[in-house]
Amino acid sequence: MGELSTTIHQRLNDAYESLQAAHDTGDDLLAEAQRAEIDDLRRTAASHGIDVPRCA
């Protein structure tokens, strides 16, 4: 796995964990920020031909 792919996968894992924590604590602002980050990372992955799971 290349460096970009590894970085995207790790950042997605971190964003999904943070999104779950935001939901658990009721932090809607953080949840929205994490959803936006996940969307951006998924777009970047797609534009580079990197396959990522729907959720981590």
Side-chain angles (χ1 to χ4, degrees), residues 13-46:
N13 285 336
D14 293 346
Y16 281 121
E17 287 177 8
S18 183
L19 177 60
Q20 184 61 54
H23 283 301
D24 291 347
T25 61
D27 189 337
D28 295 334
L29 184 60
L30 179 58
E32 183 59 32
Q34 291 309 308
R35 281 191 291 271
E37 171 137 4
I38 289 166
D39 290 344
D40 288 344
L41 288 165
R42 293 184 64 74
R43 275 192 294 277
T44 300

Side-chain angles (χ1 to χ4, degrees), residues 1-21:
M1 188 179 301
E3 186 174 339
L4 178 60
S5 179
T6 299
T7 299
I8 287 174
H9 281 91
Q10 182 59 55
R11 287 187 57 193
L12 275 170
N13 285 336
D14 293 346
Y16 281 121
E17 287 177 8
S18 183
L19 177 60
Q20 184 61 54

